Amino acid sequence: MKAIDRKDYCPRYAYEDSPQSIGYGATISAPHMHGYALDKLEPFLQPGMKALDIGSGSGYLAACMAAMVGDTGKVVGIEHISELVESSKRNVQKSHEDWIDSDRLELVEGDGRVGYEKEAPYDCIHVGAAAPTTPTKLIDQLKSPGRLFIPVGKYSQSIMIYDKDADGNVHEKKWLGVQYVPLTDAKAQRGFHQYDE
């Protein structure tokens, strides 16, 4: 996280340890949550590995992941708000323009609820919004072994860590109580948060 300057990705209060609005009903998570995610995913963010960041928003966490997988790895960030995809590309280019040009970091528009099959399978997947139930479509896109870090729940949410072992068996662990925005579609997000734009 020290290698990626948060102020390139967060317009206001970049270093405060709290979520910040980035417009369109989206937030950049608090730094401590990004730290937790990177710590839990670190064994699956080694040089040469491939990762998916769902709800990539500002591009900050995807850039941190790209720093970890190195120039032989790849990170895909998927975001359903087209304006955020474009601004995240500009954010990354402030300090790491070569990452996008070299395909080390790819930022795409799409529905992250179904993952991103085109680049699957992934060593790890991070999800920055809460799924209502176990996300089987995402687990299917993990390598064996692989790890998924995702908040799950409608009203009461917890970070769930799903580990797929070398034989393809999936083990789940409930880790931490959290409060995230729901994993939704672009139309619903835009309609509910018009005042943010």
Side-chain angles (χ1 to χ4, degrees), residues 38-186:
L38 293 171
D39 182 61
K40 292 292 183 186
L41 294 172
E42 186 265 340
F44 301 90
L45 287 170
Q46 297 299 309
M49 290 185 170
K50 184 185 282 188
L52 176 64
D53 181 27
I54 295 174
S56 52
S58 70
Y60 176 75
L61 191 69
C64 291
M65 295 165 90
M68 295 172 77
V69 300
D71 56 11
T72 58
K74 178 162 185 177
V75 175
V76 177
I78 187 167
E79 168 60 52
H80 61 198
I81 303 291
S82 58
E83 293 90 340
L84 290 178
V85 176
E86 292 312 308
S87 68
S88 67
K89 290 176 181 176
R90 290 191 300 272
N91 292 342
V92 171
Q93 288 171 337
K94 291 173 188 173
S95 299
H96 301 95
E97 188 169 0
D98 57 311
W99 287 2
I100 291 176
D101 294 342
S102 68
D103 212 31
R104 175 171 170 175
L105 177 55
E106 182 179 0
L107 299 163
V108 299
E109 181 182 352
D111 187 348
R113 295 174 297 179
V114 296
Y116 192 63
E117 192 72 51
K118 181 181 171 188
E119 289 287 341
Y122 303 94
D123 293 284
C124 68
I125 300 173
H126 168 270
V127 185
T133 58
T134 299
T136 53
K137 287 181 181 175
L138 303 183
I139 293 169
D140 290 346
Q141 292 181 30
L142 285 175
K143 290 182 182 178
S144 299
R147 176 171 289 178
L148 168 62
F149 179 104
I150 182 172
V152 177
K154 288 183 183 173
Y155 308 109
S156 173
Q157 302 169 0
S158 297
I159 295 289
M160 298 295 295
I161 297 171
Y162 297 91
D163 281 323
K164 187 183 282 189
D165 66 22
D167 298 320
N169 302 307
V170 178
H171 310 275
E172 65 177 66
K173 178 181 175 188
K174 189 178 195 176
W175 181 57
L176 180 71
V178 291
Q179 190 63 51
Y180 273 69
V181 296
L183 203 53
T184 186
D185 60 57

